[in-house]
């Protein structure tokens, strides 16, 4: 029964940290926190924790959340001094009557909880930001510098944002295309049948300072309901937020859809709600209380990392809705 699944291939190292806990009867809650903490601490992952790419001002900010059920969830966003947003979020859940803390006050809350401050900007991320600030086409987000938004399909105001598209040459269907775009969303079920989920990110690279995406928002980047299932998302957070993506996927499972049917329907909702651009990617994973799970993506290049009794593996999603360049 125990299982942990996480977004993107780099998360297999987090799954491997968490697996011994799950395999020895530990809790899904501890497992998802440990999984995210491992990835947060890895300097080579440039979209989560230490090593995460900074905002347009050159400062890193981190977002995360954790959830067991509608009555037990916590979130912390826009942290500038604490490496593990999920651990801050867990303390919000367990030690306050609130769900979400933000910004400088969230950092001060983490201090009061005894969580250590640490430097979030790695030398590599600083160098990448310096390059971007002089040559913004290295990461194709030039229009984000003008505070552009997504253009809704109904023709509402706002130019189309260009999120996350890298210009580097790449193999077709490779994860490389989305390499700055890699929130860890992780879902686990333990030997007692308890579901838990967590999500940790440095958000969109070179984002407008103050921007918070889907990842730390309950129902958007993550949702867990023990009676229906769990889902988490990665990719262009603004697309997920417009449809309450993770909540929607869990509600569809509650109505009887399988995990893959729920994910495909959620991604179809995203496809029909926006004028998608070739650089837009969203990927999701879902887990049902009986252990059935699925992964799906809008575009090729997504991977899901899985750890269970059968071992550790990195897999292609069960469904991909769009070709690479449409
Ligand atoms: N969903 C994250 C955000 O919008 C980014 C990502 O998954 O890379 O902040």
């Amino acid at each position: 029964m125990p299982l942990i699944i996480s977004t993107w291939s780099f998360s297999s190292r987090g799954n491997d940290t968490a697996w011994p806990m799950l395999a020895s009867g530990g809790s899904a809650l501890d497992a998802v926190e440990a999984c995210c903490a491992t990835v947060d601490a890895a300097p080579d992952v440039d979209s989560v924790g230490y090593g995460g790419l900074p905002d347009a001002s050159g400062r890193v900010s981190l977002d995360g959340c954790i959830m067991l059920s509608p009555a037990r969830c916590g979130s912390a966003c826009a942290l500038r001094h604490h490496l593990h947003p999920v651990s801050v979020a867990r303390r919000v859940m367990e030690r306050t009557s609130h769900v979400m803390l933000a910004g400088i006050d969230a950092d001060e809350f983490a201090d009061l909880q005894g969580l250590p401050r640490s430097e979030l900007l790695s030398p590599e991320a600083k160098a990448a930001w310096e390059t971007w600030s002089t040559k913004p086409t290295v990461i194709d987000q030039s229009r984000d510098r003008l505070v552009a938004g997504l253009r809704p399909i109904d023709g509402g105001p706002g130019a189309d944002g260009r999120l996350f598209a890298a210009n580097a040459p790449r193999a077709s269907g490779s994860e490389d295309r989305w390499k700055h775009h890699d929130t860890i969303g992780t879902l686990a079920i333990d030997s007692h049948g308890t579901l838990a989920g967590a999500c940790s990110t440095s958000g969109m690279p070179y984002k407008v300072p103050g921007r918070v995406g889907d990842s730390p928002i309950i129902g958007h980047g993550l949702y867990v309901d023990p009676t229906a299932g769990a889902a988490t998302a990665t990719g262009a957070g603004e697309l997920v937020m417009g449809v309450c993506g993770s909540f929607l996927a869990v509600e569809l499972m509650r109505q009887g859809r399988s995990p893959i049917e729920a994910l495909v329907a959620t991604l179809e909702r995203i496809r029909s709600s926006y004028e998608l651009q070739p650089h837009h990617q969203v990927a999701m994973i879902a887990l049902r209380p009986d252990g059935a799970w699925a992964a799906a993506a809008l575009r090729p290049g997504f991977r899901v990392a899985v750890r269970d009794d059968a071992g550790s593996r990195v897999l292609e999603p069960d469904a991909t809705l769009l070709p690479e360049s449409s």
Side-chain angles (χ1 to χ4, degrees), residues 54 58 121 123-136 206:
L121 185 64
E124 293 77 12
K126 184 166 186 269
W129 173 78
E130 282 163 357
T131 304
W132 173 82
S133 53
T134 52
K135 284 189 258 160
Y206 316 131

Side-chain angles (χ1 to χ4, degrees), residues 18-41:
W19 179 249
M21 299 175 169
L22 288 173
S24 60
S27 77
L29 190 67
D30 288 340
V32 294
E33 182 182 7
C35 178
C36 290
T38 296
V39 179
D40 289 335

Side-chain angles (χ1 to χ4, degrees), residues 286-312:
L287 175 61
R288 217 167 46 189
D290 66 0
W293 65 271
L298 274 180
R299 296 187 190 284
F302 176 63
R303 304 285 186 275
V304 56
V306 185
R307 186 73 168 91
D308 59 13
D309 284 328
S312 180

Side-chain angles (χ1 to χ4, degrees), residues 53-78:
L53 291 169
D55 64 19
S57 72
R59 295 172 300 156
V60 176
S61 64
L62 302 181
D63 307 323
C65 66
I66 192 162
M67 186 165 192
L68 279 165
S69 71
R72 294 201 69 203
C73 51
S75 163
C77 67

